[in-house]
């Protein structure tokens, strides 16, 4: 924020959309908030955890987080749960029943869609859940609206006794803007009102709630026609007019400042008659919506003439560089801006952090032949990339074990001699993986499981989980004993091993031995995520240039701190060419984990300070 802006907006604060949602929940007297970390929604709960008036927790998964919020709502308190888009798939079982029960205290579900797939396994449009679950959808376009609409969502939820979906996208969650806040409110204290006909969804009760839900749909549709969140912005150039929402609105406004726009804040139920009237005022109506042609389909079904995904792309954000050339034919304008492509960017593939304990595991997996490796969601997904190429599948959260079981049971004769391995992290195992392990033991699967326990939800920034022994607030709580848990799920004690992933020979030996065993085995690694306070840095390493032979074995570890200084091509005695790569270590990035030392035959990697070599270890309590 510049000094001039501060002067003009002395009471405004410069915050992200996620922080605005958290602040709004606090100001709306939200009493309970729950979430499972997931980019781009993670920071909502992290900000909320700083407010003592709100009970906040990292839940074990998104379904549990929604159920915690539902319970608080039924007890009369305002409640919020937050998740990324794929999390709502997990939570949908609870959602689809709660839509019949409805809310008591305001119930807000903040869902962040990763439009453009910056860090997700798919691109998904959460607005569909509004139609599917018969609940209203609010779509803020910036941090100010994220604040205002979160406040509005609580009151809307209580007005219509319905959960409200607050649909965010990465651009809303992470981009900062000036936000003016309103006075905090104090809600009337309620209590849990026993009503089994409403709260106990046996078939007879649920059947009676469906007509009420349909009536609520009608009332919400009527409300949408006059809702102040759906606003008309006139424009001088009526060749095209836009119906849009969320971040797409900002892109439309920037690209076509003279075009009339109907901006939808309450995008479901859509104000059909308002849009029909707007269509009569412009030559061509365009529906600019990111990802799916959801509103477009509804409006066409209502008989409104328009264009949408026949002109605009169905993948990624509708930025000005996308909108301008796409609509050039309609406007008659000359497009001077070429669409941005991936080729415009310097190639920088995602990789693991320097000293990540997962690197040693993928180094070993890359050297174990004759395997089929089933991966999972999290940092360990990166094992599919260079230099490891050590994952063969990655489907969804917790699916590695179940998919491995399916591969084991469904393999053909040609794959009978291959080893089936599943790789999963600690928080993912607790989120959805435990059931897969129970299925393997119960149905006598032959799978080797690598449980990478780094005591954190690493991919989203090292948040605490039941594996860390700390809660959202950093306070001590129970810590899961994975050895005992795996044993309880049916794995024989002799087939459960705990190893230090920085000790490559030990890890490699355990892996080679266990893949030969019949029945399920679990290898638990026990070193912390380098992003957490548990990780302790060791003496930084360096390369002795006089000893380095250019063999490049250390590059197979995949550590970003190891850099190629020069390359050479030599002719071997047999006449074949060999590429040599002479390396150095970035001392500013190295943490002295010693993984590379294990791969260096000529002992060219040495401590920079000549201190003793010590493996990175967890800080003792």
């Amino acid at each position: 924020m510049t000094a001039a802006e501060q002067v003009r907006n002395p009471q405004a604060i410069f915050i992200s959309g996620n922080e605005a949602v958290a602040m709004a929940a606090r100001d709306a007297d939200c009493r309970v908030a729950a979430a499972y970390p997931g980019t781009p929604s993670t920071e909502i709960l992290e900000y909320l955890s700083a407010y003592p008036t709100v009970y906040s927790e990292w839940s074990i998964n998104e379904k549990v987080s929604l159920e915690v919020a539902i319970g608080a709502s039924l007890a009369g308190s305002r409640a919020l749960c937050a998740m990324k888009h794929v999390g709502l798939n997990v939570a949908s079982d609870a959602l689809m029943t709660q839509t019949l029960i409805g809310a008591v205290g305001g119930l807000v579900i903040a869902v962040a869609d990763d439009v453009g797939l910056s860090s997700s396994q798919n691109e998904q449009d959460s607005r569909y859940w509004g139609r599917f679950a018969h609940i209203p959808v609010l779509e803020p376009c910036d941090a100010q609206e994220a604040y205002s609409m979160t406040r509005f969502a609580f009151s809307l939820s209580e007005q219509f006794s319905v959960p409200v979906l607050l649909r965010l996208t990465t651009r809303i969650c992470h981009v900062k803007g000036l936000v003016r806040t309103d006075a905090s409110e104090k809600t009337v204290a309620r209590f849990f009102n026993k009503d089994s006909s409403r709260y106990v969804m046996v078939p007879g009760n649920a059947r009676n709630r469906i007509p009420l839900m349909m009536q609520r749909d009608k009332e919400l549709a009527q409300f949408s026609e006059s809702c102040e969140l759906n606003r008309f912005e006139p424009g001088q150039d009526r060749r095209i007019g836009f119906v849009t929402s969320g971040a797409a609105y900002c892109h439309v406004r920037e690209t076509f400042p003279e075009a009339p726009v109907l901006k939808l804040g309450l995008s479901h139920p859509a104000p059909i008659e308002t849009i029909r009237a707007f269509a009569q005022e412009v030559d061509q109506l365009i529906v600019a919506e990111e990802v799916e042609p959801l509103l477009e389909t509804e409006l066409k079904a209502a008989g409104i003439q328009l264009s949408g995904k026949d002109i605009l792309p169905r993948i990624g954000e509708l930025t000005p560089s996308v909108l301008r050339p796409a609509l050039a034919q309609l406007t008659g304008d000359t497009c001077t801006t070429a669409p941005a492509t991936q080729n415009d960017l310097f190639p920088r593939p995602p990789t693991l952090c320097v000293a990540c304990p997962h690197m040693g595991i993928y180094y070993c997996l890359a050297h174990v032949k004759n395997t089929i490796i089933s991966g999972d969601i999290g940092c360990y997904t990166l094992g599919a990339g260079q230099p490891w190429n050590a994952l063969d599948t990655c489907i969804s959260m917790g699916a590695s074990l179940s998919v491995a079981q399916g591969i084991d049971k469904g393999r053909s004769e040609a794959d009978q001699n291959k080893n089936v391995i599943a790789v999963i992290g600690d928080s993912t195992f607790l989120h959805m993986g435990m059931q897969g392990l129970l299925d393997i033991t119960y149905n006598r699967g032959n799978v080797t499981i690598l449980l990478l326990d780094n005591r954190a939800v690493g991919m989203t920034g090292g948040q605490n989980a039941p594996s860390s022994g700390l809660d959202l607030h950093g306070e001590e709580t129970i810590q899961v004993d994975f050895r005992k848990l795996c044993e309880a799920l049916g794995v024989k004690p002799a087939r459960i091993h705990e190893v230090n992933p920085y000790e490559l020979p030990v890890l490699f030996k355990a892996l080679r031995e266990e893949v030969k065993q019949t029945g399920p085995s679990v290898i638990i690694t026990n070193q912390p995520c380098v992003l957490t306070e548990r990780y302790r840095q060791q003496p930084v390493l360096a390369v002795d240039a006089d000893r380095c032979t250019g063999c490049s074995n250390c590059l197979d570890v995949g550590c970003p701190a190891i850099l190629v200084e020069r390359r050479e091509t030599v002719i071997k005695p047999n006449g074949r060419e060999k590429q040599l790569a002479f390396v150095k270590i970035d001392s500013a990035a190295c943490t002295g984990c010693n993984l590379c030392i294990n791969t260096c035959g000529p002992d060219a990697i040495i401590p920079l300070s000549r201190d003793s070599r010590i493996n990175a270890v967890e800080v003792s309590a």
Side-chain angles (χ1 to χ4, degrees):
M1 183 168 55
T2 65
E5 287 171 325
Q6 286 180 315
V7 171
R8 287 195 298 268
N9 301 280
Q11 297 177 347
I13 50 178
F14 191 60
I15 57 177
S16 69
N18 279 345
E19 190 172 4
V21 171
M23 191 172 290
R26 176 203 62 182
D27 293 347
D29 199 21
C30 173
R31 303 282 179 83
V32 173
Y36 181 82
T39 305
S41 67
T42 306
E43 296 85 1
I44 294 175
L45 250 288
E46 291 181 329
Y47 286 123
L48 268 168
S49 69
Y51 301 135
T53 57
V54 183
Y55 167 80
S56 54
E57 68 166 44
W58 287 134
S59 299
I60 205 75
N61 62 32
E62 296 84 357
K63 177 175 179 287
V64 172
S65 76
L66 175 55
E67 290 164 345
V68 169
I70 287 172
S73 171
L74 298 184
S77 293
R78 287 185 167 181
L80 178 143
C81 65
M83 60 195 73
K84 67 181 296 181
H85 61 287
V86 289
L88 193 49
N89 304 337
V90 179
S92 63
D93 196 17
L95 173 66
M96 296 305 291
T97 300
Q98 187 59 27
T99 188
L100 293 174
I101 293 174
V104 179
L107 177 57
V108 178
I109 306 166
V111 178
D113 287 1
D114 188 6
V115 177
L117 296 96
S118 63
S119 61
S120 304
Q121 65 269 42
N122 63 43
E123 187 180 55
Q124 190 173 302
D125 195 332
S126 294
R127 294 177 303 158
Y128 271 112
W129 288 108
R131 279 74 173 171
F132 194 19
H134 300 264
I135 60 176
V137 178
L138 302 184
E139 291 191 73
C141 72
D142 56 21
Q144 177 64 68
E145 286 198 349
Y147 177 86
S148 303
M149 288 191 186
T150 302
R151 297 283 302 261
F152 181 83
F154 283 107
S155 60
L156 182 66
S157 173
E158 291 170 355
Q159 181 179 351
F160 290 93
S161 184
V162 62
V164 173
L165 191 69
L166 183 72
R167 191 237 187 179
L168 308 162
T169 63
T170 304
R171 193 166 290 271
I172 310 302
C173 293
H174 290 165
V175 173
K176 290 188 175 184
L178 288 172
V179 174
R180 285 182 174 275
T181 60
D182 299 321
S184 300
E185 56 188 303
K186 192 69 177 176
T187 56
V188 178
R190 299 186 177 93
F191 55 89
F192 183 82
N193 183 22
K194 289 180 178 290
D195 185 355
S196 59
S197 65
R198 177 180 174 185
Y199 299 156
V200 182
M201 283 297 96
V202 294
N205 291 340
R207 192 178 297 114
N208 293 334
R209 296 292 301 180
I210 292 176
L212 299 176
M213 180 180 71
M214 298 299 183
Q215 178 59 33
R216 185 182 71 204
D217 284 350
K218 293 180 180 177
E219 293 171 0
L220 279 165
Q222 186 175 5
F223 175 80
S224 182
E225 298 287 351
S226 58
C227 178
E228 61 184 11
L229 297 183
N230 299 329
R231 69 170 187 262
F232 173 68
E233 297 179 359
Q236 299 299 319
D237 185 355
R238 292 182 173 271
R239 291 177 297 172
I240 53 176
F242 292 91
V243 178
T244 187
S245 60
Y249 159 79
C250 297
H251 299 315
V252 166
R253 196 73 284 177
E254 178 181 347
T255 313
F256 302 99
E258 299 301 323
V261 172
L262 180 57
K263 179 189 180 300
L264 302 183
L266 174 57
S267 63
H268 177 75
I272 302 293
E273 297 309 315
T274 301
I275 296 172
R276 192 191 306 279
F278 177 54
Q280 302 302 313
E281 299 180 11
V282 296
D283 298 339
Q284 178 73 51
L285 183 65
I286 307 293
V287 174
E289 53 187 334
E290 290 181 333
V291 191
E292 299 289 343
L294 195 56
L295 180 61
E296 174 186 341
T297 303
E298 286 184 9
L299 296 180
K300 285 181 175 177
I304 300 174
Q305 298 296 315
L306 55 87
S307 291
K309 295 304 181 183
D310 54 330
I311 300 174
L312 302 173
R314 197 166 171 172
I315 301 173
E317 294 183 300
L318 297 180
T319 58
S321 63
V322 173
L323 285 171
R324 192 171 292 114
L327 297 176
Q329 288 185 337
L330 290 181
T331 60
D333 298 334
T334 302
C335 177
T336 58
T337 305
T341 67
Q342 292 295 323
N343 293 332
D344 296 332
L345 305 174
F346 181 80
R348 194 183 62 173
T351 190
L352 296 168
C353 299
V354 170
C356 174
H358 300 347
M359 283 195 295
I361 292 143
Y362 283 116
Y363 177 85
C364 291
L365 286 174
H367 288 79
V368 176
K369 306 300 180 186
N370 209 29
T371 59
I372 303 174
I373 305 172
S374 175
D376 221 299
I377 304 298
C379 296
Y380 23 90
T381 310
L382 300 171
Q386 294 284 359
W388 314 285
N389 298 313
L391 284 189
D392 298 306
T393 71
C394 182
I395 308 298
S396 60
M397 199 83 161
S400 58
L401 286 85
S402 314
V403 169
Q405 169 77 344
I407 291 171
D408 176 42
K409 297 300 182 182
R411 64 171 108 184
S412 66
E413 189 65 29
D415 291 328
Q416 286 303 312
N417 293 326
K418 292 182 178 175
N419 307 304
V420 179
I421 299 173
V423 183
I424 191 168
D426 53 309
S427 58
T428 308
F429 182 74
L430 298 172
H431 178 282
M432 278 289 171
M434 291 187 291
Q435 298 88 337
L437 179 56
L438 183 58
D439 191 76
I440 290 172
T441 57
Y442 178 66
N443 292 301
R444 294 175 285 277
N446 190 17
V447 178
T448 302
I449 296 107
L450 278 165
L451 205 172
L452 313 187
D453 179 14
N454 63 6
R455 324 281 164 77
V457 190
M459 180 63 98
T460 50
Q463 287 77 22
N464 289 321
S467 55
S468 69
L470 301 172
D471 66 12
L472 169 62
H473 308 279
E475 297 175 356
E476 290 189 4
T477 179
I478 62 101
Q479 183 174 20
V480 171
D481 185 327
F482 283 107
R483 181 183 285 272
K484 290 182 179 178
L485 179 56
C486 292
E487 188 176 341
L489 291 171
V491 183
K492 294 178 181 178
R495 300 271 66 84
I496 304 173
H497 305 274
E498 185 173 327
V499 299
N500 182 340
Y502 293 111
E503 297 177 353
L504 290 183
V506 176
L507 177 62
F508 199 61
K509 180 182 178 183
L511 187 57
R512 294 190 66 174
E513 289 181 351
E514 287 309 312
V515 295
K516 296 175 183 175
Q517 302 295 325
T518 300
S521 297
V522 178
I523 299 173
I524 305 169
T525 62
N526 60 8
Q527 290 302 309
C529 173
V530 298
L531 300 179
T532 65
E533 294 179 352
R534 289 168 176 267
Y535 182 79
R536 190 173 66 189
Q537 184 169 328
Q538 299 300 310
V540 174
L541 302 174
V543 176
D544 184 339
D546 294 335
R547 293 184 184 177
C548 181
T549 62
C551 69
S552 73
N553 287 341
C554 57
L555 294 176
D556 291 342
V557 172
C559 181
I562 303 176
L563 309 174
V564 177
E565 199 164 35
R566 64 184 173 89
R567 296 184 186 275
E568 250 181 59
T569 301
V570 296
I571 306 299
K572 298 174 64 177
N574 61 9
R576 293 182 177 176
E577 287 188 354
K578 184 178 181 181
Q579 299 291 327
L580 300 179
F582 296 88
V583 302
K584 65 178 181 179
I585 293 177
D586 181 356
S587 59
C590 177
T591 67
C593 73
N594 279 9
L595 271 175
C596 54
I597 286 182
N598 289 305
T599 68
C600 186
D603 291 331
I605 300 176
I606 56 176
L608 180 63
S609 61
R610 303 288 178 181
D611 292 340
S612 58
R613 300 177 185 179
I614 308 170
N615 275 342
V617 294
E618 183 174 351
V619 176
S620 57

